[in-house]
Amino acid sequence: MLNENIKAIRKSKGLSQQELAVKLNVVRQTISKWEQGLSVPDSEMLISLSEALETPVSTLLGEKVIVSEADDLKTISAKLEVINLQLTQRKAARKRIIQWLLLSLCVGIAVIFAILLVLESPYLGWNYSDPETAVLGVTVHAFEWLFVRAAPIILIGAIIGIFLTRKKE
C-alpha cells in the first residue's frame, strides 16, 4: 500500500524518481526500492517524504491513492510552462553573451588600430641584416597588413551583429 501511494503521489505531483531523490537527499535507487516494495522508509524519512510530496503521512500510509487524469494534465501543463520559461531565459542569456562578445571585439579592434597608429610602423627603420630582426619585421608587417585590410570588415560585421541582437521591446 505504501509503495503504491508513494508512486501515485509522486507521479501526480509531476516528479520523477530522480527529482524526488534529490529533494530527500537519497539516491534514485532508494525511491525505486520504496515504490517496488523492496524496502520502506524509516520514520524520519517518512516525515521528509510527506513534506517533499506535500502530503500527510496518514495519506501515505492509508488507503490506495487514485490519481485523476486532470491532475496529470495540470502537471504536464505546469512542466511545459517551466520549460518554456527556462528556454526563454537561456535564449536571452545567449543573446546578452553574444552582444558582449561582439562589443568586446569592436573595442579590441579599436584598441589595436590605436596602437598601430601610435607606433607608426616602427619596423620600417629596423636593420634587416640580422636574420632574427628580418623575420620579426616581416611578421609584424604581415600582421599589420592583414589587420588593416580585415579589421574594417570584421568591425562592420560586429556592429551589424550588435544591432541585430539588441533587445526589441
Side-chain angles (χ1 to χ4, degrees):
M1 183 104 31
L2 173 64
N3 60 334
E4 295 167 358
N5 288 348
I6 292 172
K7 186 174 186 176
I9 294 169
R10 174 184 59 79
K11 285 188 174 185
S12 73
K13 299 289 182 181
L15 295 171
S16 67
Q17 287 183 345
Q18 182 64 39
E19 291 168 331
L20 181 58
V22 168
K23 283 186 172 190
L24 297 173
N25 292 325
V26 297
V27 294
R28 186 201 55 79
Q29 288 80 357
T30 302
I31 305 297
S32 177
K33 286 180 181 179
W34 293 343
E35 290 182 358
Q36 292 174 14
L38 300 175
S39 68
V40 293
D42 62 15
S43 59
E44 287 181 26
M45 188 55 73
L46 195 57
I47 293 169
S48 298
L49 183 61
S50 74
E51 290 171 357
L53 294 175
E54 299 169 350
T55 305
V57 175
S58 59
T59 303
L60 288 172
L61 296 172
E63 295 295 318
K64 184 175 181 177
V65 177
I66 299 172
V67 180
S68 66
E69 287 187 33
D71 288 341
D72 289 341
L73 291 175
K74 287 179 186 176
T75 302
I76 291 171
S77 175
K79 278 194 169 192
L80 285 175
E81 255 184 75
V82 168
I83 291 170
N84 193 20
L85 180 64
Q86 289 173 342
L87 288 174
T88 303
Q89 289 171 343
R90 284 184 189 162
K91 185 177 179 182
R94 270 191 233 119
K95 207 176 207 183
R96 283 191 303 273
I97 289 170
I98 289 172
Q99 282 180 324
W100 280 107
L101 288 173
L102 291 172
L103 186 62
S104 299
L105 180 64
C106 290
V107 169
I109 288 173
V111 167
I112 293 173
F113 259 124
I115 291 171
L116 290 176
L117 282 174
V118 169
L119 292 179
E120 296 180 355
S121 304
Y123 58 87
L124 295 176
W126 292 354
N127 180 5
Y128 283 92
S129 60
D130 181 31
E132 286 89 14
T133 305
V135 170
L136 182 61
V138 169
T139 304
V140 172
H141 176 69
F143 170 76
E144 184 180 82
W145 187 86
L146 285 172
F147 183 80
V148 167
R149 279 149 185 81
I153 296 168
I154 295 170
L155 184 65
I156 291 169
I159 291 170
I160 290 171
I162 290 170
F163 282 109
L164 291 177
T165 58
R166 78 183 198 286
K167 196 174 192 178
K168 295 177 184 172
E169 294 181 36

